[in-house]
Amino acid sequence: MCRYAGKTYKSHYVCFRCRKSFKQISSSDILGRINKNKLSHKAGFQFNKDTSKLDTLISEIENRPIKCPECSQLMADLGLDFKAPKKTAFKKWEIVEGLYTIGKVFHSCGCSGPGYIPQNRLEYKDYLIDKLKLYQEYLVDCQNLSKESIPDKDERLVYWSQRIFQLKEEMLHQGFAVN
């Protein structure tokens, strides 16, 4: 059974500027409470069967900005499996921010854990190089397929091209050689 299935867990939101992590209740938990006819986050406002108000509130909750309580910058949702480094671990925070920049977050059902997280610059460089090779292979595989076999070929090509571009940008940002 998935670790997160039986109990409500809060997602970890991160402020890279302050190097801090804060937990926030998920929108699905808030909506679950509303669906059980409990009071919503607006004091004194209760839902019964009026779905138009509920649809508006769902949109509002799912699109709410989560801001850092210290600096008021928007925070990044890194998921349930994220474990923040110490505030003084500058290099680890830089790696975590870089991972977020290239799309690596820690959302899972809890069965497999957060996955591999590089712990130093050398591991991070190797991680980025491996991902770049993998994404380039995916792009080539997609290019070799016919439009009939995958109708969304153009979207896939754009997706993998963007992922490769993000990786190369992060490698340049870190000062790593890009092939």
Side-chain angles (χ1 to χ4, degrees), residues 31-46:
L31 296 174
R33 291 178 185 175
I34 291 169
N35 286 335
K36 291 179 183 177
N37 278 337
K38 293 187 177 182
L39 290 178
S40 73
H41 69 290
K42 295 180 181 179
F45 190 73
Q46 192 169 9

Side-chain angles (χ1 to χ4, degrees), residues 30-61:
I30 294 170
L31 296 174
R33 291 178 185 175
I34 291 169
N35 286 335
K36 291 179 183 177
N37 278 337
K38 293 187 177 182
L39 290 178
S40 73
H41 69 290
K42 295 180 181 179
F45 190 73
Q46 192 169 9
F47 291 97
N48 292 320
K49 302 293 181 206
D50 187 356
T51 57
S52 64
K53 290 180 183 177
L54 183 59
D55 291 341
T56 303
L57 185 60
I58 289 170
S59 175
E60 184 182 313
I61 290 169

Side-chain angles (χ1 to χ4, degrees), residues 12 22 44 84 88 96 108 158 166 172:
H12 296 260
F22 300 94
T88 56
V96 170
S108 78
V158 168
Q166 289 173 328
L172 288 173

Side-chain angles (χ1 to χ4, degrees), residues 42-101:
K42 295 180 181 179
F45 190 73
Q46 192 169 9
F47 291 97
N48 292 320
K49 302 293 181 206
D50 187 356
T51 57
S52 64
K53 290 180 183 177
L54 183 59
D55 291 341
T56 303
L57 185 60
I58 289 170
S59 175
E60 184 182 313
I61 290 169
E62 289 177 346
N63 298 311
R64 74 192 194 279
I66 306 294
K67 294 186 178 183
C68 176
E70 291 191 12
C71 70
S72 297
Q73 294 293 313
L74 287 178
M75 296 176 66
D77 180 7
L78 292 186
L80 299 171
D81 289 328
F82 178 70
K83 185 176 184 325
K86 291 181 179 179
K87 185 175 180 173
T88 56
F90 296 103
K91 294 196 185 288
K92 286 187 179 183
W93 274 102
E94 190 174 274
I95 290 170
V96 170
E97 185 173 7
L99 289 171
Y100 178 73
T101 301

Side-chain angles (χ1 to χ4, degrees), residues 63-174:
N63 298 311
R64 74 192 194 279
I66 306 294
K67 294 186 178 183
C68 176
E70 291 191 12
C71 70
S72 297
Q73 294 293 313
L74 287 178
M75 296 176 66
D77 180 7
L78 292 186
L80 299 171
D81 289 328
F82 178 70
K83 185 176 184 325
K86 291 181 179 179
K87 185 175 180 173
T88 56
F90 296 103
K91 294 196 185 288
K92 286 187 179 183
W93 274 102
E94 190 174 274
I95 290 170
V96 170
E97 185 173 7
L99 289 171
Y100 178 73
T101 301
I102 63 169
K104 169 79 170 149
V105 291
F106 308 95
H107 295 280
S108 78
C109 66
C111 293
S112 59
Y116 174 70
I117 303 170
Q119 296 299 308
N120 57 48
R121 284 185 53 79
L122 181 59
E123 287 181 14
Y124 187 45
K125 179 181 179 181
D126 292 342
Y127 176 84
L128 292 176
I129 290 170
D130 290 345
K131 283 291 183 194
L132 181 60
K133 288 177 186 174
L134 181 66
Y135 292 173
Q136 288 170 335
E137 289 173 13
Y138 289 162
L139 181 64
V140 169
D141 289 345
C142 188
Q143 288 169 336
N144 292 333
L145 294 172
S146 70
K147 188 86 165 158
E148 292 78 32
S149 64
I150 51 168
D152 62 341
K153 178 178 178 176
D154 294 335
E155 290 84 8
R156 290 182 188 203
L157 290 172
V158 168
Y159 174 80
W160 290 116
S161 297
Q162 288 174 341
R163 298 297 303 262
I164 291 168
F165 178 78
Q166 289 173 328
L167 275 171
K168 288 182 176 181
E169 286 289 309
E170 177 60 17
M171 292 173 81
L172 288 173
H173 177 73
Q174 294 294 330

